Structure formats: C-alpha cells, structure tokens
Amino acid sequence: MEVTLRVFRYNTETGRTKPSFDSWTLTDVDPTDRVLDLLEFVKGYHDGTLSFRRSCAHGVCGSDAMRINGRNYLACKVLVRDLNSTTITVEPIMGLKVMKDLIVDMEPFFESYRSVLPYMINDEVPADGKERLQSEAQRERFDDTTKCILCAACTTSCPSFWGDGKYVGPATIVNAHRFIFDSRDQAAGERLEILNEQGGVWRCRTAFNCTEACPREIHITQAIAEVKQAINTGKVD
Amino acid sequence: MTTLISSLRTTLAGYINYRGREGHYSFLLHRLTGLGTLLFLAIHIVDTATVYWIPELYDHAIAIYRLPIFLVGEIGLVFAVIYHGVNGLRIIYQDMVNPASWTIARQRRAARWTLILSVIIWLPAALIMLNTLLAHL
Ligand code: HEM
Ligand code: SF4
Ligand code: FES
C-alpha cells in the first residue's frame, strides 16, 4: 500500500530552527509494518538527518514514544494498519522541550521519577538473615505497576502535565505505587508525603489519557487513585 | 513568564490537537462547564448586588436577562450544571469509591452514559424553557 509519512522537523544544526513538517510518499508499505519501520526507511534511504530515539525496537526499552496521528504510541509497537489511515503524521511527545526532530529532553521526566525514591528501602535484617518472604497475594498487589518501561507516553498525554511541568505526572506515580504497595519496603510514608505536595497526585484530573496511551496496559488511573486513597486513609493495603 | 506562556500554548494545543478518547472529552467538558458555571455565578452575584447599591441598574440587568439570547444561554447553563454535577458524581464514584473501575472499557462506558444521562435529565427542563422563550418572541 501507499502511505504518506509526515514528520515534524526541528534541527538547529541544519538551520531548521522553525518547526515544520517534511513529507514522504512511501509506495511499498505493508499494513503490518510498524511506524518505526517507516521512520527507519526514510532515515536510511531519503534523509539521514532525520532524528529519533529507538533502541530495542521491540517495546521493551521505552525510547520511542511519539505522537502518531495525534495520539501517543511507541513507534515500534504500532502497526500501520492499526492507524486506519494512509496519511501518518509523527510528532514529538508534548510538554517536554524538543531538542531535535522527534527527540525531546527527557531530563525533567527522569528528575520527577527520581523524586519519589523509586527503589527498595529497608534497612532491617530479614527474619532469617537471608531473604524477605512475600505471599503470592502480596506480590500480586503491585504487579501491574512493575511493568513500566519509563517511555513517558502517559505523562506527555496528560493535560495537567501540559499545564504545569511541576506536576510529577502519571509515570512517576506509577513507579511510586510499585514500592508503596510492596510489603518488603518501608518508605511508603515518605513517598506518600512527597506525593501529597502541590505537584503530587492531587493534580490528577482523571482525564484518562495516560491509561489509554500506556503501551504496557498498566491501569495507571487506578494506581493513582490507590495512592490518593493511601494518602487519605494513611493505610497501604 | 516565558515558561508560563509556552505551557499555556502546549495546554491549549493539547486540548484541541491531542486525539484523546472519551476521557479526554469528558475532562474538557467538565472543565468548560465548571468554568462556565463559575463565570455565570460571578456575573450573577455582581448584578444581584446592584439591587442594594444601584437599584436603577438592577431593573436594567433583569431586563437584559429577559432577552432571547440570554434565555438561550440559560438553557445552556442548565445543561452545564447538570453535566458537571452528573460527571462530578461519576468521578467521585470511580476515583474514591471504586478505583478498580478505572479500566479502559468501563471508563469509556461510564463517560458515555454520563453524557446520555445528563441529556435525559436536561431535556424536560430545556423544553419547558424553550416554550417560555418562544412565548416571549
Ligand atoms: C454549581 C457550581 C459548581 C461550580 C461553579 C463548579 C466548578 C468547578 C470547576 C471550575 C472545577 C475545576 C475543573 C478542572 O480543574 O478541570 C470543578 C471540578 C470539579 N467539580 Fe465542580 N463545580 C460546581 C458544582 C459541582 C457539583 C454539584 C459537583 C458534584 C456533585 C462537582 C464536582 C466536581 C468535581 C468532582 C471536580 C473535580 C474534577 C476532576 O478532578 O476531574 N462540582 N468544578
Ligand atoms: S506507565 Fe506506561 S505509558 Fe507511563 S511511562 Fe510507564 S510504560 Fe510508559
Ligand atoms: S524502541 Fe524500545 S520500546 Fe520502542
């Protein structure tokens, strides 16, 4: 099939300092091609300066979140046929500064991620001196939020984040949830305090774009609601 | 200041250009109806206050409210209050009472039913008000 690929361009090195679109007509596209394949094809055969991030190409590393036909996806996970359109427009994710073409500055995103202590905190020696046992139910409690690959598709689809970059954003809350509800961890109180601050969970307006955008199908809005509830009740269970 | 303006630009571009699903539009409608109702209340408090401070102006204000364009606006206002209230109850239920209902399928369904229910509640009032409006013309 034939597809028109329109891509957002911005590159101070080549003098393209005014954001604009380039467009290519690709004639030999398979409906099961991924949008990433089209971008790779253009970069390889039409314009080597086209810049975007990708690493694993298999939905694992979280490098290639982009706005494709208006919605956030991983370019390596969305098939041409899923878009139901022969024109495909690719733009950078929103709310983070564009550095070059589809590449945005992810530092504010990771800074927010680090702010909620996304690692196990427990200084006690385990009962048997070796390991911290957990029941199946205790492990299941936070299973959903362990799946995050930090792609930022959720955070950059969120109206509250567009309006205020100081909002920690859904991805950060997902990763806080991962430890808050882990029975082996002991710093839930500290994280809940951080998320109860001005840029914390109360910025969530339940617009639900995050859950719709997550390539890992994490129940993000539910996780945020559970953190809100934990703050309100002071209980994590 | 520049970050304020650029985030305002991103926000408005996102509201309009991001192709969200039901949740995106119910969020927009909730914000629009909330701010619309707030605007009306603010104006209404000011014009009602004139009954005490400047009585001549009060009669003038009431006359303006009887203009057909304002009667149409009032029908819209009733929808705004109803939608905002019904959707507000949906959000409170999903977010505070039953967070497990935040699945994609259930959220989409709930957002659609919220709109349908709001229209059903609004229609009788809208018809009565439309009747009054037509009698005025
Ligand atoms: C009639 C007077 C009311 C006015 C002027 C008003 C105004 C507003 C405004 C401006 C917002 C902020 C929207 C946003 O940030 O996106 C809001 C949010 C909200 N309102 Fe109202 N509201 C009114 C009545 C109600 C009623 C009757 C309910 C429920 C029964 C309600 C429930 C809510 C809820 C739950 C939110 C939070 C929305 C969210 O977090 O997604 N409001 N309201
Ligand atoms: S929660 Fe989902 S959308 Fe958000 S960063 Fe993690 S994997 Fe990406
Ligand atoms: S390239 Fe690794 S997730 Fe898409």
Side-chain angles (χ1 to χ4, degrees), chain A residues 69-71 207 212 228-229, chain B residues 18-19 23-24 95-96 108:
Chain A
N69 284 359
R71 273 185 197 147
E212 296 272 6
K228 288 171 180 166
Q229 215 159 44
Chain B
Y18 191 83
R19 269 183 62 238
H24 184 72
D95 215 38
M96 302 191 69
R108 285 183 188 169

Side-chain angles (χ1 to χ4, degrees), chain B residues 62-131:
Chain B
I62 292 303
I64 292 176
Y65 277 121
R66 299 247 161 83
L67 291 176
I69 177 86
F70 272 79
L71 293 176
V72 172
E74 263 176 9
I75 298 177
L77 177 68
V78 169
F79 176 78
V81 173
I82 290 173
Y83 180 81
H84 189 90
V86 175
N87 194 47
L89 292 175
R90 172 186 69 86
I91 293 167
I92 291 168
Y93 171 75
Q94 292 207 55
D95 215 38
M96 302 191 69
V97 181
N98 187 5
S101 70
W102 283 127
T103 64
I104 291 183
R106 292 179 71 181
Q107 189 280 160
R108 285 183 188 169
R109 209 175 331 129
R112 285 170 186 217
W113 274 106
T114 300
L115 185 60
I116 294 170
L117 192 65
S118 303
V119 171
I120 291 174
I121 299 173
W122 170 68
L123 269 181
L127 288 177
I128 294 168
M129 291 171 82
L130 194 66
N131 216 1

Side-chain angles (χ1 to χ4, degrees), chain A residues 67-73 94-95 153 156-157 159-160 162-165 204-209 211-213 219-222 224-226 228-229 232, chain B residues 6-11 13-15 17-27 31 90-91 94-105 107-108:
Chain A
R67 197 154 36 108
I68 298 167
N69 284 359
R71 273 185 197 147
N72 286 359
Y73 293 98
M94 302 178 75
T156 59
S157 74
S160 294
W162 300 331
D164 180 4
C204 166
R205 289 275 118 86
T206 69
F208 212 65
N209 284 353
T211 309
E212 296 272 6
H219 297 174
I220 304 178
T221 311
Q222 178 181 348
I224 298 174
E226 288 172 358
K228 288 171 180 166
Q229 215 159 44
N232 280 338
Chain B
S6 88
S7 65
L8 189 67
R9 197 181 295 148
T10 309
T11 303
Y15 282 1
N17 297 332
Y18 191 83
R19 269 183 62 238
R21 304 258 334 184
E22 285 81 346
H24 184 72
Y25 295 104
S26 60
F27 157 75
R31 183 159 275 193
R90 172 186 69 86
I91 293 167
Q94 292 207 55
D95 215 38
M96 302 191 69
V97 181
N98 187 5
S101 70
W102 283 127
T103 64
I104 291 183
Q107 189 280 160
R108 285 183 188 169

Side-chain angles (χ1 to χ4, degrees), chain A residues 162-235:
Chain A
W162 300 331
D164 180 4
K166 290 196 187 66
Y167 170 40
V168 294
T172 294
I173 304 171
V174 161
N175 287 280
H177 180 284
R178 151 75 184 83
F179 291 100
I180 289 169
F181 292 92
D182 186 334
S183 61
R184 298 164 298 182
D185 182 272
Q186 293 185 328
E190 227 173 306
R191 295 192 192 92
L192 292 177
E193 221 165 273
I194 295 166
L195 290 173
N196 194 21
E197 278 167 20
Q198 218 193 347
V201 288
W202 309 111
R203 282 284 152 108
C204 166
R205 289 275 118 86
T206 69
F208 212 65
N209 284 353
C210 56
T211 309
E212 296 272 6
C214 180
R216 308 287 308 190
E217 288 160 28
I218 298 173
H219 297 174
I220 304 178
T221 311
Q222 178 181 348
I224 298 174
E226 288 172 358
V227 173
K228 288 171 180 166
Q229 215 159 44
I231 291 174
N232 280 338
T233 61
K235 284 201 286 261

